Amino acid sequence: MKDRDSATDAWGIQHGYRDVHGAWHPVGRGTRTRLRAAMGGDGPRSPEPGGVRRMRPGMRRVTGGSGWLRWEDGGEVELRRGERVDVPEGMHECLDVDGAHAGWWLAVGGGCDEAPPGTAWGWAAQLYAARSRRSWGHGDFGDLRRLGDMARGMGAGFTLLNPLGAPLPGRPQEDSPYSPSSRMFLNPLYLRIEDVPGAEEEGRFLEGLVTAGRALNERRRIDRDAVYGLKMRALERLWRRFRGDPRYDRYCREQGLVLRRFAVFNALSERWGGGWSRWPEACRRPDSAAVSRFADEEAPRVAFHQWLQWLLDEQLGRAATALPLMLDVPIGVGRDGFDAWLWQDVLALDVAVGVPPDEYNTQGQNWGLPPYIPHRLRRAGYGPWRQTLRAMLRQAGGLRVDHVMGLFRLYWIPGGASPADGGYVRYAADEMLAVLAIESRRAGAVVVGEDLGMVERGVRPRLRRANVLSYRLLWFERGRPETYPEEAMAAITTHDLFTVAGLWTGSDLKEQEALGLRPNGAGMRSIRRRVARWAGLGDGAGAGEAVVAAHRLLRGAPCRLLTATLDDALGVEERPNLPGTVHERPNWRLALPRPLEALERHPLVRAVAETMRGGVRNPSGGDSRRSTRTSASGGRGSPDRRGAREA
């Protein structure tokens, strides 16, 4: 049974899969042909060879053959047959005797950095929704710093955030943080304009923009296009007065070619509109002569986009000093964005990833994101994956890897097909995890894997061996929180699932039914009964009482990390995102109903925080709040925290 379940063809396409009920679904010949074609294959032959050899710390010697090893930092050592050389931690390229790539890489490293002993808790927040009275209609990094100060005062040890990746420039702005143009760079909407150098001197000019921006806070529905228009007007004015800064120069040197290409991409997007697939043919590759000429001709605009990323890096770094940050890693990127332009030869642009129909998403999901082509990613030494992780860990003390099963296999859906007509494609999971571990240890960062949904047998043990924390939800676990594993992060819900209030009042189920989504009403009612029984809640218990009781249950988990959402703490009934909808409801566009200033005194917020604080355990006797780490040795400018200079 196990062999049949995991069997693949030469391209890594599984012959079929089992659904949540154990039923076998074979992948049809037509689907297999289309998936193979998306990888660049036109027949059953195997893809070109290539891959990664692994070594663990303490075994850092490789028997020399003929050729060279090129270290990550650019140094090289000759391999002579019969000799042994010391190999440092990292990802190293093997070259042949003529200096050409030999087809394989050497990954040296152990597991991810370990979480400290004991238990700590933190707020999980959609930053765009966490507005203060100083916001311009959209949460920003100034708000994040205030949230961190507030959370620290409540005994929290970290803040878990939605993805912060950059969208395409211009309008309309992308609403979903899980469909970024780039996972390596940041969204300018998170800039606090008043904290940009020169803002004080431009006070008279900015006055009208500040007033208009803060007026957007009066609407609960976030208007990203309006925010973008106001902030870009302000930023372009402030850029004109910018006369340089040594920190900006250092940032540009550290980030190197990939930052320049990102800035050029944004300038091209402004020139031609939208994503790169609609640009003139000559501009569709980052290394083309036309792109190089454009970069020279538009040097000031390119520098402007580099400056925006420096500002974002500076402001995020300051926010991280208030409380360590854990960032969410999206499963992929938009097919028309920067990362896909940069790495188009490594992505299957004619398919999208998603999930087949399951118990709670009866129609399946298509996320619209192109996946890595496994054999091409291996031959590239996992460069795109490495650079993504390194960039995201620049200011973070931890990562939550969304849909971590994607490191093992991903569900590919051919263009135009329904989620039911896709198939699973396997990846070299040990190699993906090795890269994750190398970057985690380099940054001193904790890693959580979102292992929800259809989790194959054997995945969780392999994640545990790699020191990747599991992710356990009160909604889904059949046992009480006291039975959860220690090596995990526990929560009640996620951005894609119903809130406590939405479940308790029945409003979430009613919304799904009204939208024709065919929800699993019986399953939701079963969860409600189970939680009520465990918490001792009567039929007449209100939503606020249920919120506190659910967190009281959660704090009993022995997990390393616990999270509570700001949505639950404010009794919000709407979930941030409802899978299966796009325009039918305001996904990713609902701000919290109260500003940050009110959260500090809100009775339900304080009750949840006090409840969670009661679950903190710190057997080591140290600072229980240091659950994820950002340290001086892992901060900006550290010798082993190089910028993403490759491209």
Side-chain angles (χ1 to χ4, degrees):
M1 183 76 72
K2 182 179 178 182
D3 291 342
R4 180 193 182 191
D5 288 358
S6 60
T8 70
D9 64 12
W11 295 82
I13 304 169
Q14 282 190 205
H15 299 321
Y17 67 91
R18 294 191 181 279
D19 64 21
V20 292
H21 303 293
W24 177 255
H25 295 264
V27 176
R29 179 178 298 178
T31 296
R32 297 168 67 82
T33 298
R34 293 185 68 185
L35 296 185
R36 195 161 52 235
M39 298 185 205
D42 55 5
R45 64 177 180 80
S46 300
E48 62 264 30
V52 175
R53 302 178 188 179
R54 294 191 61 195
M55 281 189 171
R56 297 185 65 83
M59 300 174 60
R60 300 182 194 175
R61 288 181 176 272
V62 58
T63 302
S66 297
W68 298 77
L69 271 181
R70 177 179 293 158
W71 306 141
E72 265 192 330
D73 62 7
E76 294 181 359
V77 61
E78 186 176 4
L79 300 177
R80 294 190 178 93
R81 192 172 302 280
E83 294 185 5
R84 301 167 76 86
V85 295
D86 289 320
V87 182
E89 284 196 67
M91 179 73 76
H92 314 297
E93 183 179 13
C94 181
L95 309 176
D96 63 24
V97 291
D98 296 321
H101 179 61
W104 62 276
W105 300 70
L106 182 66
V108 181
C112 296
D113 205 53
E114 294 192 32
T119 297
W121 79 277
W123 289 114
Q126 304 294 316
L127 179 57
Y128 60 84
R131 305 185 303 197
S132 69
R133 294 190 179 97
R134 295 190 65 197
S135 303
W136 290 22
H138 186 284
D140 59 41
F141 288 152
D143 297 323
L144 177 58
R145 187 168 186 174
R146 178 166 190 144
L147 175 61
D149 288 335
M150 180 194 78
R152 187 180 66 248
M154 292 177 171
F158 64 98
T159 306
L160 171 63
L161 297 174
N162 60 281
L164 305 177
L168 288 172
R171 289 175 277 198
Q173 282 279 286
E174 172 62 53
D175 288 312
S176 173
Y178 288 88
S179 299
S181 168
S182 177
R183 294 186 290 187
M184 295 186 294
F185 295 100
L186 299 168
N187 186 342
L189 294 190
Y190 290 113
L191 282 172
R192 169 66 61 86
I193 299 299
E194 294 89 332
D195 292 345
V196 174
E200 188 173 341
E201 292 80 358
E202 291 285 355
R204 180 170 296 181
F205 171 80
L206 292 178
E207 185 176 348
L209 298 178
V210 170
T211 300
R214 293 179 183 175
L216 294 173
N217 295 332
E218 298 172 9
R219 316 172 196 167
R220 187 165 174 222
R221 186 171 295 194
I222 293 169
D223 185 346
R224 286 184 172 83
D225 288 351
V227 177
Y228 180 83
L230 293 171
K231 290 200 172 184
M232 289 304 290
R233 281 184 61 194
L235 289 164
E236 286 168 351
R237 176 70 172 238
L238 295 172
W239 165 245
R240 288 196 290 271
R241 93 165 13 250
F242 181 66
R243 295 296 178 265
D245 189 302
R247 293 173 299 170
Y248 167 71
D249 296 336
R250 182 169 62 248
Y251 173 78
C252 291
R253 286 194 303 271
E254 288 175 352
Q255 298 303 300
L257 180 59
V258 73
L259 172 65
R260 177 171 171 78
R261 283 184 166 170
F262 174 75
V264 172
F265 174 91
N266 281 351
L268 280 163
S269 185
E270 291 171 330
R271 165 71 63 86
W272 299 110
W276 61 277
S277 67
R278 288 167 283 178
W279 298 349
E281 185 70 32
C283 295
R284 293 182 190 172
R285 296 198 65 88
D287 55 356
S288 73
V291 168
S292 180
R293 286 194 301 272
F294 175 87
D296 291 339
E297 293 166 1
E298 298 295 331
R301 194 62 182 179
V302 170
F304 169 72
H305 285 289
Q306 292 177 309
W307 177 72
L308 291 182
Q309 290 303 312
W310 170 65
L311 294 175
L312 286 158
D313 187 67
E314 291 273 309
Q315 290 194 11
L316 181 59
R318 287 196 291 272
T321 64
L323 200 65
L325 304 176
M326 177 174 285
L327 301 184
D328 207 345
V329 184
I331 191 63
V333 296
R335 71 180 67 251
D336 240 2
F338 169 69
D339 288 5
W341 182 68
L342 184 66
W343 293 316
Q344 56 191 276
D345 296 332
V346 183
L347 291 168
L349 297 171
D350 296 329
V351 300
V353 297
V355 291
D358 64 22
E359 190 174 6
Y360 288 94
N361 292 288
T362 56
Q363 299 177 62
Q365 296 181 47
N366 183 330
W367 300 327
L369 308 173
Y372 291 133
I373 298 171
H375 69 277
R376 293 187 181 175
L377 184 63
R378 297 182 79 205
R379 284 191 63 83
Y382 294 90
W385 178 229
R386 284 188 284 138
Q387 291 186 61
T388 295
L389 294 170
R390 191 172 303 173
M392 294 192 69
L393 284 168
R394 181 173 170 84
Q395 303 290 7
L399 294 177
R400 173 193 176 273
V401 181
D402 191 47
H403 194 69
V404 74
M405 291 83 72
L407 304 186
F408 296 78
R409 65 176 188 174
L410 274 174
Y411 191 71
W412 288 27
I413 305 168
S418 76
D421 296 324
Y424 279 102
V425 174
R426 288 209 165 270
Y427 292 80
D430 287 342
E431 297 174 5
M432 297 283 280
L433 289 169
V435 174
L436 180 61
I438 287 169
E439 298 304 330
S440 162
R441 289 167 66 89
R442 177 177 285 129
V446 176
V447 177
V448 177
E450 191 247 330
D451 51 351
L452 304 175
M454 295 175 61
V455 183
E456 292 181 282
R457 182 171 53 186
V459 165
R460 281 177 167 165
R462 290 171 75 181
L463 291 173
R464 178 67 199 98
R465 288 195 294 272
N467 291 340
V468 176
L469 298 183
S470 184
Y471 192 54
R472 302 303 170 98
L473 294 186
L474 183 67
W475 289 163
F476 289 166
E477 295 297 316
R478 300 295 182 180
R480 293 177 62 95
E482 292 86 348
T483 67
Y484 297 177
E486 288 187 17
E487 302 306 318
M489 181 166 76
I492 292 173
T493 187
T494 75
H495 53 264
D496 284 336
L497 294 170
F498 35 89
T499 65
V500 176
L503 174 70
W504 224 254
T505 64
S507 63
D508 191 279
L509 182 58
K510 291 177 182 176
E511 181 184 25
Q512 292 186 68
E513 291 171 340
L515 292 170
L517 295 179
R518 293 185 292 171
N520 184 345
M524 292 178 66
R525 287 187 286 270
S526 175
I527 291 172
R528 190 185 190 282
R529 288 193 298 270
R530 183 171 69 245
V531 172
R533 184 175 68 253
W534 287 346
L537 291 171
D539 292 340
E545 187 179 353
V547 166
V548 176
H551 287 88
R552 190 176 299 118
L553 285 172
L554 184 69
R555 79 175 184 186
C559 304
R560 294 284 186 238
L561 306 175
L562 307 175
T563 63
T565 71
L566 291 178
D567 303 84
D568 278 334
L570 285 170
V572 175
E573 295 186 5
E574 310 97 330
R575 60 174 93 181
N577 177 57
L578 182 56
T581 64
V582 179
H583 305 296
E584 299 88 338
R585 74 186 296 271
N587 290 330
W588 313 115
R589 285 177 285 162
L590 288 178
L592 294 173
R594 302 288 183 89
L596 286 178
E597 291 87 347
L599 265 61
E600 299 166 6
R601 302 181 302 277
H602 194 282
L604 186 55
V605 173
R606 298 194 68 83
V608 168
E610 197 59 37
T611 299
M612 296 298 288
R613 192 171 192 164
V616 171
R617 291 175 288 276
N618 185 32
S620 67
D623 183 353
S624 64
R625 295 173 300 182
R626 294 292 284 173
S627 56
T628 60
R629 296 183 289 273
T630 50
S631 63
S633 62
R636 289 171 293 169
S638 172
D640 63 348
R641 293 291 303 280
R642 299 182 301 279
R645 288 175 292 194
E646 307 165 45

PDB file of all heavy atoms in Angstrom, residues 61-67 78-85:
ATOM      1  N   ARG A  61      33.946  16.337   5.992  1.00  0.00           N
ATOM      2  CA  ARG A  61      35.064  16.006   5.113  1.00  0.00           C
ATOM      3  C   ARG A  61      34.500  15.307   3.886  1.00  0.00           C
ATOM      4  O   ARG A  61      33.609  14.475   3.989  1.00  0.00           O
ATOM      5  CB  ARG A  61      36.083  15.088   5.809  1.00  0.00           C
ATOM      6  CG  ARG A  61      36.882  15.824   6.883  1.00  0.00           C
ATOM      7  CD  ARG A  61      37.905  14.891   7.528  1.00  0.00           C
ATOM      8  NE  ARG A  61      38.725  15.629   8.477  1.00  0.00           N
ATOM      9  CZ  ARG A  61      39.834  16.272   8.161  1.00  0.00           C
ATOM     10  NH1 ARG A  61      40.245  16.280   6.905  1.00  0.00           N
ATOM     11  NH2 ARG A  61      40.526  16.914   9.061  1.00  0.00           N
ATOM     12  N   VAL A  62      34.983  15.658   2.745  1.00  0.00           N
ATOM     13  CA  VAL A  62      34.543  15.027   1.510  1.00  0.00           C
ATOM     14  C   VAL A  62      35.769  14.442   0.823  1.00  0.00           C
ATOM     15  O   VAL A  62      36.815  15.084   0.736  1.00  0.00           O
ATOM     16  CB  VAL A  62      33.827  16.038   0.582  1.00  0.00           C
ATOM     17  CG1 VAL A  62      34.719  17.202   0.237  1.00  0.00           C
ATOM     18  CG2 VAL A  62      33.332  15.336  -0.688  1.00  0.00           C
ATOM     19  N   THR A  63      35.659  13.189   0.416  1.00  0.00           N
ATOM     20  CA  THR A  63      36.779  12.561  -0.279  1.00  0.00           C
ATOM     21  C   THR A  63      36.937  13.189  -1.648  1.00  0.00           C
ATOM     22  O   THR A  63      35.978  13.272  -2.413  1.00  0.00           O
ATOM     23  CB  THR A  63      36.539  11.048  -0.424  1.00  0.00           C
ATOM     24  OG1 THR A  63      36.374  10.492   0.876  1.00  0.00           O
ATOM     25  CG2 THR A  63      37.717  10.379  -1.109  1.00  0.00           C
ATOM     26  N   GLY A  64      38.112  13.649  -1.935  1.00  0.00           N
ATOM     27  CA  GLY A  64      38.325  14.389  -3.178  1.00  0.00           C
ATOM     28  C   GLY A  64      38.292  13.506  -4.411  1.00  0.00           C
ATOM     29  O   GLY A  64      38.793  12.383  -4.407  1.00  0.00           O
ATOM     30  N   GLY A  65      37.671  14.010  -5.461  1.00  0.00           N
ATOM     31  CA  GLY A  65      37.770  13.421  -6.787  1.00  0.00           C
ATOM     32  C   GLY A  65      38.557  14.410  -7.623  1.00  0.00           C
ATOM     33  O   GLY A  65      39.449  15.079  -7.124  1.00  0.00           O
ATOM     34  N   SER A  66      38.209  14.526  -8.857  1.00  0.00           N
ATOM     35  CA  SER A  66      38.858  15.523  -9.711  1.00  0.00           C
ATOM     36  C   SER A  66      37.922  16.701  -9.868  1.00  0.00           C
ATOM     37  O   SER A  66      36.776  16.534 -10.271  1.00  0.00           O
ATOM     38  CB  SER A  66      39.181  14.909 -11.083  1.00  0.00           C
ATOM     39  OG  SER A  66      40.092  13.848 -10.937  1.00  0.00           O
ATOM     40  N   GLY A  67      38.396  17.882  -9.573  1.00  0.00           N
ATOM     41  CA  GLY A  67      37.577  19.072  -9.726  1.00  0.00           C
ATOM     42  C   GLY A  67      37.780  20.033  -8.574  1.00  0.00           C
ATOM     43  O   GLY A  67      38.840  20.051  -7.932  1.00  0.00           O
ATOM     44  N   GLU A  78      40.550  22.882  -4.315  1.00  0.00           N
ATOM     45  CA  GLU A  78      40.711  21.820  -5.297  1.00  0.00           C
ATOM     46  C   GLU A  78      40.489  20.460  -4.654  1.00  0.00           C
ATOM     47  O   GLU A  78      40.898  20.213  -3.520  1.00  0.00           O
ATOM     48  CB  GLU A  78      42.110  21.878  -5.921  1.00  0.00           C
ATOM     49  CG  GLU A  78      42.294  20.878  -7.060  1.00  0.00           C
ATOM     50  CD  GLU A  78      43.637  21.010  -7.745  1.00  0.00           C
ATOM     51  OE1 GLU A  78      44.466  21.834  -7.275  1.00  0.00           O
ATOM     52  OE2 GLU A  78      43.855  20.307  -8.744  1.00  0.00           O
ATOM     53  N   LEU A  79      39.802  19.603  -5.393  1.00  0.00           N
ATOM     54  CA  LEU A  79      39.608  18.224  -4.955  1.00  0.00           C
ATOM     55  C   LEU A  79      40.601  17.341  -5.705  1.00  0.00           C
ATOM     56  O   LEU A  79      40.600  17.299  -6.932  1.00  0.00           O
ATOM     57  CB  LEU A  79      38.176  17.769  -5.262  1.00  0.00           C
ATOM     58  CG  LEU A  79      37.040  18.554  -4.615  1.00  0.00           C
ATOM     59  CD1 LEU A  79      35.692  18.015  -5.085  1.00  0.00           C
ATOM     60  CD2 LEU A  79      37.130  18.490  -3.097  1.00  0.00           C
ATOM     61  N   ARG A  80      41.426  16.665  -4.938  1.00  0.00           N
ATOM     62  CA  ARG A  80      42.372  15.727  -5.541  1.00  0.00           C
ATOM     63  C   ARG A  80      42.022  14.327  -5.068  1.00  0.00           C
ATOM     64  O   ARG A  80      41.720  14.117  -3.890  1.00  0.00           O
ATOM     65  CB  ARG A  80      43.812  16.069  -5.134  1.00  0.00           C
ATOM     66  CG  ARG A  80      44.320  17.394  -5.681  1.00  0.00           C
ATOM     67  CD  ARG A  80      45.808  17.537  -5.429  1.00  0.00           C
ATOM     68  NE  ARG A  80      46.350  18.768  -5.986  1.00  0.00           N
ATOM     69  CZ  ARG A  80      46.466  19.912  -5.319  1.00  0.00           C
ATOM     70  NH1 ARG A  80      46.075  19.972  -4.042  1.00  0.00           N
ATOM     71  NH2 ARG A  80      46.964  20.982  -5.897  1.00  0.00           N
ATOM     72  N   ARG A  81      42.050  13.400  -5.979  1.00  0.00           N
ATOM     73  CA  ARG A  81      41.642  12.042  -5.669  1.00  0.00           C
ATOM     74  C   ARG A  81      42.439  11.492  -4.499  1.00  0.00           C
ATOM     75  O   ARG A  81      43.662  11.582  -4.455  1.00  0.00           O
ATOM     76  CB  ARG A  81      41.825  11.151  -6.908  1.00  0.00           C
ATOM     77  CG  ARG A  81      41.151   9.788  -6.772  1.00  0.00           C
ATOM     78  CD  ARG A  81      41.207   9.040  -8.100  1.00  0.00           C
ATOM     79  NE  ARG A  81      40.574   9.808  -9.169  1.00  0.00           N
ATOM     80  CZ  ARG A  81      39.264   9.869  -9.352  1.00  0.00           C
ATOM     81  NH1 ARG A  81      38.453   9.227  -8.536  1.00  0.00           N
ATOM     82  NH2 ARG A  81      38.770  10.586 -10.340  1.00  0.00           N
ATOM     83  N   GLY A  82      41.698  10.959  -3.532  1.00  0.00           N
ATOM     84  CA  GLY A  82      42.336  10.361  -2.365  1.00  0.00           C
ATOM     85  C   GLY A  82      42.566  11.318  -1.220  1.00  0.00           C
ATOM     86  O   GLY A  82      42.822  10.887  -0.098  1.00  0.00           O
ATOM     87  N   GLU A  83      42.505  12.631  -1.458  1.00  0.00           N
ATOM     88  CA  GLU A  83      42.703  13.602  -0.387  1.00  0.00           C
ATOM     89  C   GLU A  83      41.363  13.976   0.235  1.00  0.00           C
ATOM     90  O   GLU A  83      40.302  13.782  -0.356  1.00  0.00           O
ATOM     91  CB  GLU A  83      43.398  14.854  -0.925  1.00  0.00           C
ATOM     92  CG  GLU A  83      44.818  14.615  -1.393  1.00  0.00           C
ATOM     93  CD  GLU A  83      45.500  15.909  -1.803  1.00  0.00           C
ATOM     94  OE1 GLU A  83      44.872  16.980  -1.628  1.00  0.00           O
ATOM     95  OE2 GLU A  83      46.643  15.852  -2.283  1.00  0.00           O
ATOM     96  N   ARG A  84      41.414  14.539   1.442  1.00  0.00           N
ATOM     97  CA  ARG A  84      40.202  14.950   2.143  1.00  0.00           C
ATOM     98  C   ARG A  84      40.312  16.428   2.480  1.00  0.00           C
ATOM     99  O   ARG A  84      41.389  16.916   2.803  1.00  0.00           O
ATOM    100  CB  ARG A  84      39.997  14.119   3.412  1.00  0.00           C
ATOM    101  CG  ARG A  84      39.877  12.625   3.132  1.00  0.00           C
ATOM    102  CD  ARG A  84      39.996  11.801   4.408  1.00  0.00           C
ATOM    103  NE  ARG A  84      38.774  11.860   5.198  1.00  0.00           N
ATOM    104  CZ  ARG A  84      37.732  11.047   5.006  1.00  0.00           C
ATOM    105  NH1 ARG A  84      37.777  10.137   4.046  1.00  0.00           N
ATOM    106  NH2 ARG A  84      36.657  11.136   5.754  1.00  0.00           N
ATOM    107  N   VAL A  85      39.193  17.119   2.369  1.00  0.00           N
ATOM    108  CA  VAL A  85      39.201  18.553   2.652  1.00  0.00           C
ATOM    109  C   VAL A  85      38.113  18.873   3.668  1.00  0.00           C
ATOM    110  O   VAL A  85      37.066  18.225   3.706  1.00  0.00           O
ATOM    111  CB  VAL A  85      38.969  19.383   1.363  1.00  0.00           C
ATOM    112  CG1 VAL A  85      40.114  19.201   0.397  1.00  0.00           C
ATOM    113  CG2 VAL A  85      37.652  19.017   0.713  1.00  0.00           C
TER     114      VAL A  85
END
